[in-house]
Amino acid sequence: MDEFNTEDIIEPIGLGCSLERFVEWKEILDLVTSLKETTEVTEQPVNGRSSAEKPYERFRYIVDQYKEQPHLLDTYLSQILDEIIFIVRGNNFCERSKHLAFQYMRLITNVRGTKVILQHLPHSAQDLEPVLTMLENQDEKDNNNWETRYCLILWLSIIVKIPFHMSRLDSNDVGKDSTVIQRLYNICKKYAMVVDLCRDACAYLTSQFLTRTDTKDCLLPEYFQWACDLITQENLNWMRFGPMLSIAAILKYGKREDLLPYAPKLLKTMMTMNWKSEPYRLCRKLAMKVIQRIGLTFLKARVISWRYKRGMRILPIDISQWPTGDHIKTPALNVKNEDEAEEDLEVPAEMEDIIEELMQGLRDSDITVR
């Protein structure tokens, strides 16, 4: 009966990551290139499927295989994205081709991640006006082309990092409401109130745009006031998600000295909204995230005393003075052994309320909030 002992049977272990390289890159590139031949005329579906649906499903099937090993796409990522950007920029291609190109770009972003994709997107100053105009021409209520708006918002989030004042991009006869800064500000407020994935991308765009040196003093207070007014209103439900996401992103990417003056007002807003009684768990989760980051804003960064200090290592200029053989001795480092007195850090009074709110969050019934 020993031969039937199941304890001695070793189960075969399959390979979880068996892919070695991106072997279908040529097919992916051909699928993107074929979009150049797409026409604006929408043909009748055959067997319930359009001609663009089959290539899209094939594209998604290929890239989804690399979700466990997305780094394999890096070698060919620039080449694929350059082809997509070429179609988007081209004036000779129809709008349908551009929408399909953005759908492919969204699939790649879903696999590789937004941080890596943004590193490969062009971000020169000349791209700001065309991308902004293209996004303004989109209908935020169009559910069929939400990928276009999502990718354009992500693209804008890297373009707005240009290292000079955006007023230089405006013409002399442009009105106050038509400046590039005002148009971007309207985009941030507009897409913070949508219900699709563009809301998450807009939160990142807002954090990068409103923390610039030319916008943090004039637009950031106004945006915080607008967001706080929406959050404290009753019966808004899911419409609070966008402003709360944007505030959380700004607190993450902004500088402490720029955000500290607004921290008390933001904390008061979060405590006024009574997040503990919210029926949506996402709202309670975002409230916890904002309160945590407000607390980190109140606390001043402290340099630890036991950090590593690299000593000075200077060799004599004259080689003949170098010790040789067994007499080599390492020169002693001139390190001051002074007792560093601990700084008396002044803890803001608001930290008591923040800790209390966080303790209340640990009592939440949903694990995502805790």
Side-chain angles (χ1 to χ4, degrees):
M1 298 295 292
D2 293 338
E3 58 181 350
F4 298 103
N5 190 358
T6 57
E7 296 180 357
D8 297 333
I9 299 177
I10 301 177
E11 294 291 339
I13 301 176
L15 293 177
C17 298
S18 58
L19 301 176
E20 297 181 357
R21 60 189 180 90
F22 188 22
V23 295
E24 299 94 345
W25 70 272
K26 184 63 176 177
E27 183 179 357
I28 290 293
L29 193 60
D30 292 340
L31 289 174
V32 176
T33 307
S34 64
L35 297 178
K36 299 178 182 179
E37 303 175 358
T38 305
T39 59
E40 193 69 51
V41 180
T42 57
E43 67 280 359
Q44 294 295 329
V46 179
N47 296 328
R49 302 180 64 180
S50 62
S51 60
E53 186 175 354
K54 184 176 180 181
Y56 175 82
E57 294 296 334
R58 177 59 181 171
F59 192 100
R60 184 173 64 176
Y61 172 76
I62 293 175
V63 296
D64 283 351
Q65 298 180 68
Y66 296 88
K67 283 186 175 180
E68 298 295 333
Q69 297 172 279
H71 61 278
L72 296 178
L73 277 64
D74 291 349
T75 305
Y76 310 97
L77 203 56
S78 297
Q79 189 174 358
I80 297 173
L81 290 177
D82 288 345
E83 194 68 26
I84 293 177
I85 297 301
F86 177 78
I87 296 175
V88 172
R89 285 175 170 174
N91 297 325
N92 299 327
F93 305 114
C94 62
E95 291 297 323
R96 187 162 174 262
S97 297
K98 297 179 181 180
H99 288 312
L100 293 174
F102 279 123
Q103 290 180 8
Y104 288 170
M105 182 177 172
R106 155 66 184 148
L107 292 176
I108 298 176
T109 305
N110 187 38
V111 174
R112 193 60 188 98
T114 56
K115 292 183 179 180
V116 178
I117 296 298
L118 289 177
Q119 297 175 4
H120 294 271
L121 293 179
H123 48 272
S124 59
Q126 62 183 2
D127 293 321
L128 179 58
E129 179 65 28
V131 174
L132 181 58
T133 303
M134 190 182 303
L135 182 58
E136 290 175 335
N137 294 333
Q138 301 297 318
D139 182 10
E140 69 275 12
K141 298 180 181 179
D142 184 8
N143 297 327
N144 296 325
N145 298 317
W146 67 269
E147 295 94 343
T148 300
R149 302 190 298 273
Y150 175 80
C151 294
L152 287 174
I153 293 174
L154 285 181
W155 195 358
L156 270 181
S157 65
I158 188 66
I159 298 177
V160 296
K161 293 183 179 181
I162 51 179
F164 50 83
H165 203 289
M166 287 188 178
S167 60
R168 299 182 180 180
L169 303 177
D170 298 325
S171 58
N172 297 329
D173 56 347
V174 68
K176 182 179 179 181
D177 297 335
S178 302
T179 60
V180 173
I181 291 181
Q182 188 62 39
R183 291 164 62 190
L184 283 170
Y185 181 66
N186 295 335
I187 288 292
C188 293
K189 294 174 62 176
K190 177 181 179 180
Y191 283 95
M193 305 303 294
V194 298
V195 297
D196 52 23
L197 200 59
C198 298
R199 180 179 58 197
D200 299 346
C202 180
Y204 181 71
L205 169 62
T206 304
S207 66
Q208 301 300 314
F209 173 62
L210 294 182
T211 54
R212 288 173 50 91
T213 55
D214 53 355
T215 58
K216 64 181 181 180
D217 295 329
C218 57
L219 294 181
L220 186 58
E222 180 182 347
Y223 187 85
F224 275 151
Q225 184 63 43
W226 172 80
C228 291
D229 292 342
L230 285 177
I231 293 174
T232 53
Q233 289 183 15
E234 298 181 357
N235 301 325
L236 281 183
N237 298 329
W238 58 266
M239 296 181 67
R240 297 177 176 178
F241 297 166
M244 294 176 69
L245 275 171
S246 300
I247 292 177
I250 293 173
L251 292 174
K252 178 179 180 180
Y253 294 102
K255 296 181 180 179
R256 177 181 180 270
E257 54 270 19
D258 298 334
L259 301 175
L260 190 58
Y262 311 106
K265 178 177 177 58
L266 294 176
L267 178 60
K268 183 179 179 181
T269 300
M270 302 309 300
M271 297 179 65
T272 304
M273 67 171 291
N274 193 16
W275 59 269
K276 293 181 285 293
S277 61
E278 283 291 330
Y280 295 97
R281 63 179 180 181
L282 179 58
C283 186
R284 303 195 303 272
K285 177 183 177 181
L286 291 175
M288 283 286 93
K289 181 178 294 187
V290 172
I291 292 174
Q292 290 173 11
R293 292 177 179 175
I294 292 174
L296 293 176
T297 304
F298 276 118
L299 296 177
K300 184 179 180 180
R302 182 181 179 185
V303 181
I304 54 179
S305 59
W306 46 267
R307 68 189 184 279
Y308 171 73
K309 297 180 181 179
R310 188 176 185 273
M312 297 181 61
R313 296 169 175 83
I314 302 177
L315 295 176
I317 300 178
D318 189 0
I319 301 179
S320 61
Q321 298 179 5
W322 290 10
T324 58
D326 298 335
H327 302 287
I328 297 178
K329 295 182 180 180
T330 304
L333 299 178
N334 185 17
V335 180
K336 296 181 180 180
N337 296 324
E338 299 179 355
D339 296 335
E340 297 183 0
E342 294 186 359
E343 300 179 0
D344 295 333
L345 297 179
E346 183 178 354
V347 180
E350 292 85 355
M351 289 303 301
E352 183 177 354
D353 296 331
I354 292 175
I355 294 176
E356 177 63 25
E357 293 294 319
L358 296 179
M359 295 297 293
Q360 293 292 332
L362 292 176
R363 300 177 182 177
D364 195 274
S365 59
D366 199 294
I367 190 173
T368 58
V369 180
R370 300 196 302 268

